[in-house]
Amino acid sequence: MASIPVFNSIALGDNPAHEASPVQKAALTAFGLGLLAALVALFSDLGAAYPILMLSLVGALVIGGPLVYFWDEYRHRPPGIKNDGIMFSSNMARGLVGWTLGIVLTGGYVLLYWFPATLDGLIRVVDPLSYTLTGNPANQWFLYGTIYTVAVVVMGVRAILKYRHSRYQIIRTLSVMFFQLFLAFLIPQLLVLFNQPEFYFSYFWPLKYDYLWPGTIDYLTDASALGYFMAFWGAAMIFVATPILTYFFGKRWYCSWVCGCGGLAETAGDPYRHLSDKSLGAWKVERWMIHSVLVFVVVTTALLWINSATEGGVFGGLSQSFSKWYGFGIGLVFSGVVGVGFYPLMGSRVWCRFGCPMAAILGMQQRLFSRFRITTNGGQCISCGNCSTYCEMGIDVRWYAQRGQSIIRSSCVGCGICSAVCPRGVLSLENGPREGRFGAPTLNLIKDLDILDAPGIDGPAERPTARV
Ligand code: SF4
Ligand code: SF4
């Protein structure tokens, strides 16, 4: 008798839930064992007693497990986002796993900032790496930098495998991996090894808020000749390079290609990008919050310089209070605890969208005088909504696409995912002439139908040609 096939689902389409392969199960087991080894180190002296053994064990399992898993996962799947049951995922749809991860992440930040002694067992595990790079034992910031960099690199490999059909995504992901690994991790540590100030060449004021504060400038210029260059670099990047690069490329040159916060969002935060709030209310809150933070850091910086120039005669206590509260409220709580801890609950760009003063400056420049825009070939749009769903900045991209209107939004970080997930090739990230950027919607079905796209009928819509 012929056997009757058994289906797990009565859905007409393919069942979105899929079974992990034996390779994936082995990789997940390895990752779980790595986390277990890290937990054992946290609550014991094993890290201090056998640092090289523990570092090798934890590192191999925690890095190797996910890499094998992603390789096996994506080599069997077509590239890109396929809406394959993502909203049924406990991890990616604010289910039990997502909430648990959010609590663990926020809890980890609280321990890191305010109770670092509780992490000592784990800090000792990275001692061998710290001695190699800096010549000193590790502290909580070295542990944090190591975990952060590993997350960007490992999840960056995942992003490259996932978006392998898009050259833009591959190069952009390689870029954030490079800047995090070298400029935000290895070079600052090596500077310490050579008795130079620990300096992050890929972070600028006001994101790295104290890089233009008088205390930091004094510290750098007192340290060495290289310190003078660092102080000059910090000022030149925000006041000279930033407007020029934003004019040519929009804010994407920084937010999606260089910045460490953006790098983490684009890699480790990618599974959660669809959780960003797209409502009008969220947009209103976003505008108020991000510009308030910008005002806060500008006022704080001005007060500190006035205080420094008058040697404490004016705004002495006030400037200290401002800087203290900015460092605590924005630098620690908002950018760290909320900014990363809330990935599984509010999407991957909570900090970039609602709090980052650097994003606020770049956004104003992008909207007012940049050549960057996303053009839309509206006649091809089938209103599937992929673009809006996966926009991590909460922009309703489909609204523009349906009208054939270019997208010029100060919040757009130019990640390009909307374009990468569009099944109809409607969206193009372009750097064109500024003239006509804010033109009326260009939707014209005659123009958008290739079959009629012939001289004498109605020529093709004018489009900027420079594509990046
Ligand atoms: S509109 Fe597109 S490029 Fe801009 S942030 Fe959203 S997904 Fe990224
Ligand atoms: S622009 Fe593309 S992804 Fe967005 S709604 Fe239209 S067809 Fe779908």
Side-chain angles (χ1 to χ4, degrees):
M1 196 174 85
S3 62
I4 300 171
V6 178
F7 297 103
N8 296 326
S9 166
I10 60 169
L12 290 177
D14 203 9
N15 185 0
H18 76 286
E19 281 273 313
S21 71
V23 173
Q24 289 172 11
K25 284 177 182 164
L28 282 177
T29 305
F31 181 62
L33 288 174
L35 292 182
L36 189 64
L39 267 180
V40 170
L42 181 63
F43 294 111
S44 72
D45 292 332
L46 280 177
Y50 309 102
I52 294 181
L53 177 69
M54 291 304 288
L55 178 64
S56 309
L57 184 69
V58 173
L61 294 174
V62 167
I63 295 173
L67 287 179
V68 171
Y69 180 91
F70 297 142
W71 170 75
D72 193 67
E73 167 84 1
Y74 288 107
R75 78 194 171 104
H76 295 306
R77 291 176 57 179
I81 287 171
K82 299 297 168 200
N83 290 321
D84 46 359
I86 197 168
M87 296 314 286
F88 297 102
S89 161
S90 179
N91 178 27
M92 293 182 280
R94 301 190 188 101
L96 183 63
V97 175
W99 272 95
T100 306
L101 191 59
I103 291 168
V104 168
L105 282 172
T106 47
Y109 269 95
V110 169
L111 294 181
L112 182 81
Y113 289 154
W114 294 290
F115 307 100
T118 58
L119 300 174
D120 195 59
L122 208 50
I123 293 170
R124 299 286 66 85
V125 173
V126 290
D127 264 346
L129 189 59
S130 182
Y131 276 116
T132 306
L133 292 175
T134 71
N136 298 310
N139 57 22
Q140 85 260 37
W141 303 120
F142 186 86
L143 173 69
Y144 178 54
T146 306
I147 295 173
Y148 198 107
T149 305
V150 166
V152 170
V153 171
V154 171
M155 292 299 280
V157 171
R158 171 189 175 276
I160 289 172
L161 291 170
K162 181 175 177 182
Y163 301 111
R164 61 189 181 278
H165 62 304
S166 165
R167 196 165 64 99
Y168 182 79
Q169 295 304 325
I170 293 172
I171 298 173
R172 190 180 60 73
T173 306
L174 286 172
S175 172
V176 293
M177 291 163 72
F178 167 83
F179 280 104
Q180 175 59 39
L181 182 59
F182 289 95
L183 272 79
F185 184 64
L186 291 178
I187 289 178
Q189 310 303 337
L190 290 172
L191 285 169
V192 175
L193 183 66
F194 293 107
N195 291 320
Q196 297 295 329
E198 186 178 335
F199 191 82
Y200 297 78
F201 286 96
S202 55
Y203 287 103
F204 323 121
W205 180 92
L207 173 56
K208 192 74 176 149
Y209 50 88
D210 60 340
Y211 272 14
L212 276 192
W213 287 3
T216 308
I217 300 288
D218 288 345
Y219 162 71
L220 290 175
T221 51
D222 287 348
S224 65
L226 188 57
Y228 273 96
F229 174 73
M230 291 167 176
F232 169 78
W233 173 268
M237 286 308 292
I238 186 61
F239 293 123
V240 181
T242 292
I244 293 174
L245 289 169
T246 308
Y247 169 76
F248 284 109
F249 306 112
K251 71 196 281 188
R252 60 174 160 163
W253 76 268
Y254 190 71
C255 297
S256 288
W257 287 70
V258 174
C259 176
C261 307
L264 191 71
E266 295 297 334
T267 52
D270 180 72
Y272 309 106
R273 60 171 53 249
H274 56 284
L275 298 178
S276 61
D277 191 337
K278 315 288 191 297
S279 69
L280 190 63
W283 176 64
K284 288 179 179 169
V285 172
E286 171 190 323
R287 287 198 307 166
W288 274 102
M289 285 187 72
I290 197 167
H291 293 114
S292 300
V293 174
L294 178 61
V295 169
F296 191 1
V297 73
V298 169
V299 169
T300 303
T301 305
L303 287 177
L304 285 169
W305 277 104
I306 293 171
N307 185 47
S308 170
T310 58
E311 296 181 347
V314 184
F315 303 134
L318 192 63
S319 65
Q320 297 309 324
S321 300
F322 265 64
S323 59
K324 199 173 113 198
W325 280 106
Y326 188 89
F328 175 78
I330 307 297
L332 295 187
V333 177
F334 202 161
S335 74
V337 180
V338 175
V340 179
F342 283 22
Y343 272 15
L345 306 176
M346 292 178 68
S348 54
R349 290 274 191 175
V350 181
W351 160 247
C352 314
R353 198 179 160 190
F354 295 97
C356 177
M358 180 81 181
I361 290 179
L362 289 162
M364 286 190 276
Q365 293 173 353
Q366 169 162 284
R367 182 162 174 81
L368 295 178
F369 67 84
S370 171
R371 293 160 56 90
F372 173 71
R373 89 289 307 274
I374 300 176
T375 55
T376 60
N377 183 6
Q380 294 293 320
C381 177
I382 55 171
S383 299
C384 67
N386 270 1
C387 50
S388 297
T389 300
Y390 294 103
C391 175
E392 59 195 346
M393 298 304 286
I395 297 170
D396 189 359
V397 182
R398 178 174 57 180
W399 188 91
Y400 294 88
Q402 288 170 330
R403 289 159 180 75
Q405 189 171 341
S406 292
I407 302 166
I408 301 164
R409 289 280 294 267
S410 52
S411 56
C412 173
V413 290
C415 64
I417 294 295
C418 54
S419 172
V421 301
C422 174
R424 301 283 292 168
V426 172
L427 307 157
S428 296
L429 280 68
E430 299 181 358
N431 305 312
R434 291 186 56 241
E435 294 70 40
R437 283 172 89 226
F438 292 100
T442 57
L443 180 57
N444 181 333
L445 290 175
I446 299 285
K447 281 183 180 173
D448 286 307
L449 283 173
D450 286 339
I451 194 171
L452 297 176
D453 197 3
I457 296 179
D458 195 353
E462 283 271 318
R463 288 186 178 281
T465 49
R467 293 184 175 210
V468 174

